[in-house]
Amino acid sequence: MQVTVDTRNPARRTADLLALPLTQLDPSHWRLPPRMAGVDRAAGGAILSLLGTGDFRGKRGETLVLYPQSGIGAKRVLLVGLGEENRVDAEVLREAAGIAVRATAERKGKTLAIVAPASRRVRVAAMTQAMAEGAILAGYRFDRYRSRRESTPAEVRSVAILLEKGAELRAARAAASIGVSVAESQNLARDLSNEPPNALPPAAMARAAQKLAREVGLRVRVLGPAEIRKRKLGAMLAVGGGSAHSPRLILLEHNAPVKARGGKRSSHRPTTICLVGKGVTFDSGGLSLKSPNNMVRMKHDMSGAATVIATLRAAALLKVPLHVVGIAGAVENMPSGTAYRPDDIVTSGSGQTIEVKNTDAEGRLVLADCLHLARSEFEPEALIDVATLTGACSIALGPWAAAVLGNNERLSDLIVKAGEKTGERFWPLPLWEVHREHMRSQLADLKQTGGRAAGTITAAAFLSHFVGETPWAHLDIASTADTSRSGPLQPSGATGFGVRALCEILRNWGRVKVD
């Protein structure tokens, strides 16, 4: 989908559909904003005449389609409600653009023009970025395995965002370009997570990462079983031991520092930020087998890795002035004669031993080795992991937010604020020393699970033993990584949650200090 920004007269713009986003209207006087009033005059007063009937009030998400007979260039006019004016923010505008794209596609349209509304709360650049994101996200669909696609909506090929004359076009177009890159990257994360598990075992995920790296100029390394064993990443190897598909450790780097002569890193190198993703391509629960109902949707257990891979793509396209490292531990958790068992004690890459309590708590073992590798090999300024880690998070926060825990309050606050700005909500949970002590084992250094109480927190407490003093945040996206519902921006399936927030953090990293 092509997204453009210009200041043309909306009434003269040729399109299959012209969208007019309107805030909630005052029944005592139906007044349209000036540019939309111009469209109404060109259409012979059809819009105001309809508003007088009360059929459209401008409530958030409300829509109504008009078919002007003449006077304007568009075939259809769509009124989109924004809700109360003082509550219009970037998420409302993102959603409005998505509604317009879906309405165009449902009517087999190919071209959409959408008038950017005047807003006191959202600057023009932020508005165009949000609307571009909404358009790209709403146009997403995953139908590559359907042999018949007649019933699916048409693909919208172009979206024009129409600004008022005098608007700063250069900044608006740059912001829209950012929105397109971020949203397309989020759609990549959706694609990876939506793939069926037979099509995306660990080796296939690694190939997808390598292909992406070639396309956008990332440095990539993939460690196979022999190299993982050589690095003594015993926790990750234990999880993958029951599957016919061997594990892969994927390392992506954007803006990697150039090595000086003698193999040493240059003293002048950008700040390093490490992102770590859980990449369990299918989770059967291992020998602690899940019930049939709970095993459905476990292809999405690699959503954290998908988010990390997609964020590295965006970092490259946006030329983020940081050294961004993405690490994805790709494994399949299956039961077999070679699978790891409850009561096993495994040795992690950090040298710490771990008593296994439940083979269905596999993600934290994979992350333990990946976090240790990130910390020891790259010495980052900050470390963020993303994982569908605990069902307890879904119970605590429902589908409306992900949990953030860590050892650095500034970093956690940064993530919460980035989520608020991008429409991806995070809620902080405590992580105290008592939680860390609770994860000590009587037989080994650590135990893998801490029981039902505070399950999301104790899982993070386990991970905290592998990050040392590095500023670290753990994002538990178990409740937000996929959905059975569809909305203006989201069909059922994978969400790509976290890409927008992580991109916001990386783009603005220079303004914050976490130490």
Side-chain angles (χ1 to χ4, degrees):
M1 180 188 297
Q2 182 183 28
V3 177
T4 59
V5 181
D6 62 55
T7 57
R8 296 187 210 177
N9 185 340
R12 298 178 183 175
R13 181 73 193 222
T14 301
D16 291 319
L17 187 144
L18 173 66
L20 305 181
L22 293 168
T23 55
Q24 198 158 318
L25 300 168
D26 182 351
S28 63
H29 58 286
W30 306 108
R31 295 187 61 182
L32 292 170
R35 296 182 78 221
M36 298 184 188
V39 175
D40 181 55
R41 287 192 297 272
I47 298 173
L48 274 177
S49 176
L50 184 144
L51 292 178
T53 68
D55 288 352
F56 179 86
R57 296 298 180 91
K59 294 180 179 179
R60 181 173 175 177
E62 184 182 6
T63 60
L64 195 147
V65 180
L66 293 78
Y67 295 86
Q69 298 301 310
S70 61
I72 66 172
K75 296 177 182 178
R76 309 166 184 84
V77 173
L78 175 74
L79 307 184
V80 182
L82 299 176
E84 297 177 22
E85 184 176 2
N86 61 359
R87 294 189 177 183
V88 174
D89 58 11
E91 180 63 12
V92 171
L93 296 168
R94 192 179 287 114
E95 182 181 288
I99 289 171
V101 166
R102 287 199 160 199
T104 305
E106 288 166 0
R107 290 162 178 80
K108 306 300 181 184
K110 303 290 187 183
T111 58
L112 164 68
I114 180 167
V115 177
S119 174
R120 299 173 186 174
R121 300 185 64 206
V122 186
R123 294 183 177 180
V124 171
M127 181 182 298
T128 54
Q129 179 179 338
M131 294 175 76
E133 288 172 356
I136 298 294
L137 293 173
Y140 176 81
R141 59 190 178 192
F142 188 81
D143 59 3
R144 67 187 59 175
Y145 293 99
R146 297 182 63 177
S147 55
R148 299 182 64 183
R149 303 183 185 179
E150 293 87 346
S151 61
T152 60
E155 180 181 352
V156 178
R157 294 177 181 170
S158 69
V159 175
I161 301 172
L162 307 180
L163 302 178
E164 293 186 23
K165 288 185 177 180
E168 180 50 63
L169 271 179
R170 179 177 295 181
R173 285 169 174 164
S177 178
I178 291 170
V180 169
S181 295
V182 171
E184 286 180 344
S185 297
Q186 184 173 344
N187 284 346
L188 168 67
R190 288 168 163 179
D191 273 345
L192 289 171
S193 187
N194 278 328
E195 282 287 349
N198 60 320
L200 198 80
M205 182 189 287
R207 288 193 295 272
Q210 289 170 320
K211 180 175 182 291
L212 167 68
R214 290 192 297 270
E215 291 172 349
V216 299
L218 295 169
R219 179 185 292 178
V220 61
R221 286 181 288 158
V222 175
L223 308 185
E227 292 157 300
I228 295 172
R229 279 193 292 271
K230 184 178 180 180
R231 291 172 179 259
K232 299 180 180 179
L233 304 181
M236 183 175 175
L237 287 169
V239 174
S243 174
H245 298 286
S246 57
R248 297 291 188 276
L249 189 64
I250 303 163
L251 298 101
L252 295 168
E253 291 182 74
H254 160 65
N255 206 16
V258 178
K259 290 185 177 180
R261 292 182 180 179
K264 296 182 179 180
R265 288 188 180 184
S266 170
S267 58
H268 301 287
R269 58 191 181 110
T271 297
T272 298
I273 309 296
C274 282
L275 308 178
V276 173
K278 172 187 171 185
V280 179
T281 58
F282 185 75
D283 181 20
S284 69
L287 293 179
S288 303
L289 195 66
K290 293 179 183 289
S291 67
N293 287 340
N294 289 337
M295 210 180 297
V296 175
R297 297 172 46 240
M298 282 299 105
K299 68 177 185 177
H300 296 301
D301 211 19
M302 42 64 69
S303 294
T307 291
V308 167
I309 292 169
T311 302
L312 264 289
R313 175 190 186 272
L317 293 176
L318 299 176
K319 296 180 172 58
V320 171
L322 302 169
H323 175 213
V324 186
V325 180
I327 299 175
V331 300
E332 186 177 61
N333 186 26
M334 297 290 282
S336 75
T338 58
Y340 77 129
R341 298 155 289 238
D343 288 338
D344 278 0
I345 293 179
V346 301
T347 303
S348 68
S350 69
Q352 296 176 93
T353 55
I354 304 167
E355 179 188 2
V356 176
K357 296 287 191 180
N358 184 329
T359 65
D360 194 23
E362 81 300 326
R364 64 198 70 186
L365 296 179
V366 177
L367 289 175
D369 277 346
C370 291
L371 288 168
H372 167 71
L373 183 143
R375 175 194 168 212
S376 59
E377 182 164 331
F378 296 100
E379 301 176 356
E381 180 172 316
L383 186 53
I384 302 172
D385 76 74
V386 192
T388 49
L389 206 63
T390 64
C393 187
S394 300
I395 301 301
L397 300 177
W400 303 285
V404 55
L405 307 95
N407 62 7
N408 187 284
E409 189 173 347
R410 287 185 180 180
L411 181 57
S412 295
D413 287 346
L414 178 65
I415 291 165
V416 171
K417 289 176 182 177
E420 290 172 352
K421 189 171 182 179
T422 60
E424 295 184 321
R425 288 193 181 95
F426 293 89
W427 188 255
L429 295 177
L431 180 54
W432 298 323
E433 188 60 30
V434 67
H435 299 125
R436 286 171 44 82
E437 288 300 318
H438 180 67
M439 301 310 293
R440 300 289 183 185
S441 167
Q442 294 182 355
L443 301 177
D445 296 324
L446 299 167
K447 58 185 179 183
Q448 170 209 32
T449 64
R452 289 177 59 84
T456 299
I457 298 173
T458 57
F462 171 81
L463 295 177
S464 71
H465 289 277
F466 299 90
V467 299
E469 299 301 317
T470 304
W472 158 73
H474 162 62
L475 311 183
D476 192 332
I477 63 168
S479 57
T480 57
D482 65 281
T483 180
S484 59
R485 301 178 180 180
S486 61
L489 307 178
Q490 178 63 54
S492 62
T495 64
F497 183 91
V499 173
R500 298 201 304 270
L502 289 174
C503 287
E504 180 69 17
I505 291 166
L506 295 176
R507 289 181 54 235
N508 294 283
W509 189 264
R511 302 176 190 173
V512 299
K513 294 290 183 182
V514 296
D515 51 12

